[in-house]
Amino acid sequence: MKNYNWGIIGLGEIATSFAESFQQENSRIAAVASRTLSKAEVFAKEHDIPKAYGSFEEMLTDQTIDIVYIAVPNRQHIEHILKALGAGKHVLCEKAITMNSNELAQAMKLAEEKGLILAEAMTIFNMPLYQELRSQIDSKRFGKLKMIQAPFGSYKEPDPTNRFFNPDLAGGALLDIGTYAVSFARWFFTSQPKVVASVMQPFSTGVDEQSATILQNDAQEMATVSLSFQAKIPKQGIVAFEDAYIVINEYPRADEAKIFFNDGTVETIVSGDSHQALNYEITNMVKMIEGEKTNRSLFLTKDVIDLLDQMQQNWTK
C-alpha cells in the first residue's frame, strides 16, 4: 500500500480534533494551510506537522499532497472542493459537504472526470457499529422496517454574530446538526425517502433555529427528524421493525446499540470505539482510494443533501 500525505485546509476546532485523532500506518498529515501563515505555523508546531502554508492555493500546488481534508465553514466547502479536485487531490470534506444538491453534483462530476475520491466526513457512514447493524438487518432478524426517530438538539448561546446563527456562514441547525439526524435516518431506510412535511422556527437572523420533519419512502417506511439549537435533546436514535426495535444513544459516534425484541429479549451489540470516530473516516478514505472499499457513502451523502434541499424548500413555501 502507498503511503499517503494529507493536507488540512481550515484550522478550527474540528481540524484540531482531526489532527489529534490521526493514527495511521500508511498515512500522515504532511501540511496544513490557513489564510494566515502564522496560524498555520502554530498549528503545525502543535501537531508536529512538517509544512505550513499561508494560503490554501499554495498548499494545493504541493505535489507531495495526496489527500485534502477540508474543514472551513460550510459556505466555503464547494470552492475548496473544486480547487482541490482540480489540483488532482482526493478530498474528504466536513459535513455538510455542500450547501445544496447542485453544488454536490458539480463536485461529483469533477471527481469522476479526474478519477478521484470525494467523500464527506460523516461519522455515521463510517462507524463499525452501523456496518454491523446493517448486516443484522439484512439477515431479516428484525422483520420489516417501520419507523425511525432521529432527534438532535443542543443549546447554543443566542448570539447573532456566532457562526451557528450567522446566515453569511451558513448558520442554522439543519446544516450543522441536521446532517447527522438525516444521515442516521437515511442509513436505515431501504430506499431514498421524500420529505412529506417539514416546519421550521427561525432565529432572529433568519436561519433555522428548530424544525420538525417527516420522511417517507415508497416502502412506507417513515422517519421523524427533530432539530433544535435552543434546547438540548438527547441524541437517541430509535429504529423500529415489526419484531424488534433498536436504540442507539449518542448516535453520531455510537459504538453500542440495544435491541429490544417483541418477546422481551434484549440484546446488546458493541462494535468499534467512539473515540476513534474520525480515524474510521481516515481509514475508509484510504481504502476507497486503494479500491478496497466502494465509495457508497458518497451516494448516501447525495441522498441526504437532496433531503436537506427538500426541507428548506418546504420552509420557503
Side-chain angles (χ1 to χ4, degrees), residues 2 24 76 83 109 114 122 125 172 179 182 192 204 213 253 262 300 310:
K2 174 181 174 178
Q24 298 286 313
Q76 300 171 24
K83 286 181 178 179
K109 182 175 183 290
K114 294 282 187 176
M122 171 51 65
F125 297 156
T179 53
V182 177
Q192 171 72 333
S204 61
T213 301
R253 298 188 179 190
N262 291 354
L300 293 174
Q310 291 181 45

Side-chain angles (χ1 to χ4, degrees), residues 50-311:
K51 299 178 185 178
Y53 290 101
S55 79
F56 302 139
E57 291 76 14
E58 187 180 4
M59 191 187 77
L60 293 179
T61 66
D62 186 335
Q63 296 301 308
T64 68
I65 300 299
D66 304 297
I67 311 168
V68 171
Y69 169 66
I70 296 175
V72 295
N74 289 341
R75 194 173 292 280
Q76 300 171 24
H77 284 180
I78 186 61
E79 172 191 351
H80 295 293
I81 289 172
L82 295 178
K83 286 181 178 179
L85 291 171
K89 316 297 186 187
H90 302 286
V91 173
L92 177 65
C93 183
E94 265 305 323
K95 52 80 189 168
I97 190 169
T98 57
M99 294 287 293
N100 53 57
S101 296
N102 288 337
E103 288 184 354
L104 182 55
Q106 186 180 4
M108 290 176 68
K109 182 175 183 290
L110 182 57
E112 184 177 5
E113 290 174 353
K114 294 282 187 176
L116 296 166
I117 295 296
L118 168 67
E120 181 182 53
M122 171 51 65
T123 50
I124 289 168
F125 297 156
N126 291 276
M127 295 299 293
L129 177 69
Y130 289 98
Q131 303 292 336
E132 175 61 28
L133 289 173
R134 169 53 55 200
S135 295
Q136 299 222 16
I137 291 167
D138 290 346
S139 74
K140 311 299 183 183
R141 289 189 68 203
F142 314 132
K144 179 178 170 55
L145 174 64
K146 302 298 291 183
M147 177 69 72
I148 303 164
Q149 295 179 12
F152 195 146
S154 60
Y155 181 80
K156 307 295 184 186
E157 289 296 330
D159 178 2
T161 65
N162 189 292
R163 74 171 181 87
F164 296 115
F165 299 106
N166 188 337
D168 293 333
L169 296 177
L174 185 65
L175 291 175
D176 191 87
I177 59 178
T179 53
Y180 287 113
V182 177
S183 293
F184 177 87
R186 181 62 190 93
W187 180 261
F188 293 102
F189 272 115
T190 58
S191 62
Q192 171 72 333
K194 294 181 179 179
V195 174
V196 175
S198 187
V199 293
M200 181 270 286
Q201 176 65 40
F203 187 68
S204 61
T205 59
V207 305
D208 57 296
E209 176 188 302
Q210 64 183 33
S211 62
T213 301
I214 299 173
L215 308 175
Q216 186 177 31
N217 65 8
D218 290 340
Q220 308 308 310
E221 301 160 354
M222 299 181 71
T224 59
V225 175
S226 308
L227 308 173
S228 179
F229 257 176
Q230 291 286 273
K232 290 186 177 181
I233 307 173
K235 297 184 284 291
Q236 183 184 73
I238 298 175
V239 189
F241 301 82
E242 289 176 329
D243 303 324
Y245 66 91
I246 303 171
V247 176
I248 308 171
N249 292 315
E250 300 299 323
Y251 65 77
R253 298 188 179 190
D255 54 21
E256 179 179 306
K258 288 190 178 296
I259 303 171
F260 297 81
F261 291 89
N262 291 354
D263 64 4
T265 303
V266 180
E267 182 178 317
T268 300
I269 295 177
V270 178
S271 183
D273 179 355
S274 61
H275 298 98
Q276 294 296 318
L278 301 185
N279 232 23
Y280 293 130
E281 296 175 347
I282 298 163
T283 297
N284 286 337
M285 183 69 181
V286 172
K287 286 183 177 179
M288 289 188 290
I289 293 170
E290 288 282 314
E292 297 177 15
K293 184 181 179 71
T294 60
N295 195 6
R296 176 174 178 263
S297 66
L298 182 61
F299 296 95
L300 293 174
T301 293
K302 180 179 180 296
D303 286 353
V304 170
I305 296 296
D306 181 62
L307 290 169
L308 302 188
D309 280 359
Q310 291 181 45
M311 291 165 73

Side-chain angles (χ1 to χ4, degrees), residues 42-55:
V42 169
F43 191 99
K45 184 176 180 180
E46 287 178 350
H47 301 287
D48 195 25
I49 297 167
K51 299 178 185 178
Y53 290 101
S55 79

